[in-house]
Amino acid sequence: MLAVLRHRAYRRLFAAQVVALVGTGLATVALGLLAYDLAGADAGSVLGTALAIKMVAYVVIAPAVGAIADRLPRRALMVTADLVRAGIAVSLPFVGEVWQVYVLVFLLQSASAAFTPTFQAVIPEVLPEERDYTRALSMSRLAYDLESLFSPALAAALLSVVTYNWLFTGTVLGFLASAALVVSTALPARAAATVPRGGRAYTKATAGTRLFLRAPELRALLALNLAVAAAGAMVTVNSVVYVRDVLGLSAGTVALALGAYGAGSMAVALVLPRLLDRVPDRAVMLPGALSLTVVFAGLGAVTAARDGSWRLPLLLVLWAAFGAACSAVLTPTGRLVRRSVAPGERTAAFAAQFSLSHGCWLLTYPLAGWLGAAAGLNWAVFALGSIALGAALLAVRLWPARSTDDVHAVPAPAVHVHADLPLGHPHLAGARRVPTGWRHSHGHLTDGLHAR
């Protein structure tokens, strides 16, 4: 898997992703401590609201950026987003009111909503070979999982010698380092845009969503996003409730439970590249989503039991299984989006995936918390498990067995320029004049010219 780091451009972009993730992780810890300073016992409410604001920013801003990203230099867009995030991180230690935290969190996550889809759309062009791109996706998954384990440990070590305000300095340095790495990276030429350039802002902002609704496998991906969000919200929101209230264990065990989730995710991310060399995405992602229902059933048993020393080991196994199943769905997602749209549509498509997937989290996060608090964990398990089951079954129905997973299918149109054909040549039907000749776009498998 590490062989993909031999690609110089990808190596620098991956390093940019890693340092930015570490900075974000430090900010997460520092923000929790800042919220406690500002709100005391109501810190949980502040953080919950901040998390909801984060999701709203992702859902709203990503499509808007996707509408204009094809007109902007990609490197400049990513660097600007990093510099904005660094500037906001500098400001966070100086806030004195809760509403100021909310405003800065929205601005910070809006910049992330501009950076991440653009970054995701660049990687397939940096690594055009399917084998390399698959390994890059696994590397990205591992980076996210390792950050969730490494950043809290680093924060704990730093807090032993400095106050939490200094953690924001680490965040600033992470974003500045990311910007420097992006600046130093030579990006490939942008593919010709095939999403609408003119028209109303709404039409352009929803272009990526229309791409999802057009392709059966991307419609299935929407359902898979919801299944993963149901499981992930249960882990993120209720891990502390299970450990502290249901099992009556120490706060340190919460980190153990979250670590089990990350370990399951990393284990699958490590084995997926070789597996995906032999089997299609559909054969990995759909079973991963369906297995979430089995894990929810096991969680129901832990929730219903009143005592027993077996509950903690089973909870750790279930959390690891949640992580493994979610990784099986999430890791190949970039491959699926890449195959399903034309190169010029990738930025809009990745922006739509970013926005729509976080829309699912915006639904499941409050459901996991509010339903668990109001009606009990049993009802939260039942509701989120039902959502996961329904979403997985819908994905099975929406995703045809023969689609873009077929290695012989090339859904993206061929776009090329003819410089030497005379005016009136039959192959120029539908072509348009450009400075270098005639630009022509057609399907690979429908006109008999480029079938393979």
Side-chain angles (χ1 to χ4, degrees), residues 57-346:
Y58 284 173
V59 171
V60 174
I61 300 300
V65 172
I68 62 173
D70 62 312
R71 299 184 178 184
L72 302 174
R74 294 173 300 180
R75 183 163 52 186
L77 177 59
M78 290 189 287
V79 169
T80 300
D82 271 336
L83 295 179
V84 169
R85 294 193 290 184
I88 294 168
V90 168
S91 305
L92 278 168
F94 302 103
V95 303
E97 301 290 339
V98 169
W99 69 266
Q100 296 170 346
V101 174
Y102 295 156
V103 171
L104 291 176
V105 165
F106 180 80
L107 295 175
L108 177 67
Q109 302 307 334
S110 295
S112 295
F115 179 93
T116 303
T118 307
F119 176 89
Q120 292 172 336
V122 165
I123 300 302
E125 298 179 14
V126 172
L127 300 173
E129 295 295 328
E130 180 89 345
R131 181 182 178 88
D132 291 337
Y133 182 53
T134 300
R135 280 147 182 77
L137 292 174
S138 290
M139 291 284 290
S140 180
R141 184 75 251 157
L142 287 171
Y144 278 104
D145 292 331
L146 287 172
E147 181 275 324
S148 68
L149 300 176
F150 174 73
S151 291
L154 177 61
L158 292 174
L159 287 172
S160 66
V161 294
V162 298
T163 62
Y164 74 82
N165 282 335
W166 286 99
L167 297 184
F168 290 117
T169 303
T171 302
V172 174
L173 294 176
F175 289 140
L176 291 178
S178 174
L181 286 164
V182 173
V183 165
S184 67
T185 305
L187 301 181
R190 185 197 299 270
T194 54
V195 295
R197 285 181 175 270
R200 297 186 304 172
Y202 174 82
T203 300
K204 292 184 288 185
T206 57
T209 301
R210 293 197 301 276
L211 292 173
F212 268 68
L213 297 178
R214 184 181 69 193
E217 59 276 4
L218 293 185
R219 291 199 296 270
L221 180 56
L222 294 179
L224 293 174
N225 287 334
L226 181 58
V228 167
M234 198 70 200
V235 173
T236 303
V237 175
N238 287 322
S239 286
V240 65
V241 181
Y242 273 100
V243 170
R244 301 289 283 158
D245 291 345
V246 176
L247 302 180
L249 299 175
S250 66
T253 311
V254 177
L256 181 63
L258 294 175
Y261 178 86
S265 178
M266 286 188 288
V268 169
L270 285 170
V271 303
L272 272 184
R274 290 188 178 182
L275 179 62
L276 291 171
D277 285 341
R278 300 190 299 271
V279 301
D281 299 342
R282 186 179 189 275
V284 173
M285 298 174 74
L286 292 181
L290 289 169
S291 66
L292 291 172
T293 305
V294 179
V295 185
F296 268 109
L299 184 59
V302 173
T303 308
R306 295 184 178 276
D307 53 41
S309 59
W310 55 270
R311 292 181 299 165
L312 176 60
L314 180 56
L315 182 70
L316 296 179
V317 170
L318 293 173
W319 257 223
F322 269 140
C326 290
S327 184
V329 176
L330 293 174
T331 303
T333 292
R335 283 166 44 112
L336 187 62
V337 175
R338 179 197 193 193
R339 288 172 172 171
S340 301
V341 301
E345 298 171 329
R346 282 177 185 157

Side-chain angles (χ1 to χ4, degrees), residues 191 194 338-346 404 406-417 427 440-452:
T194 54
R338 179 197 193 193
R339 288 172 172 171
S340 301
V341 301
E345 298 171 329
R346 282 177 185 157
T404 55
D406 187 344
V407 296
H408 299 293
V410 185
V415 179
H416 52 271
V417 175
H427 189 56
H440 192 257
S441 175
H442 55 72
H444 285 266
L445 300 178
T446 58
D447 60 9
L449 295 172
H450 294 264
R452 59 178 184 176

Side-chain angles (χ1 to χ4, degrees), residues 55 225 228-229 231-233 236 261 356-366:
M55 294 301 153
N225 287 334
V228 167
T236 303
Y261 178 86
L356 295 169
S357 62
H358 283 91
C360 296
W361 290 92
L362 184 59
L363 170 67
T364 58
Y365 267 142

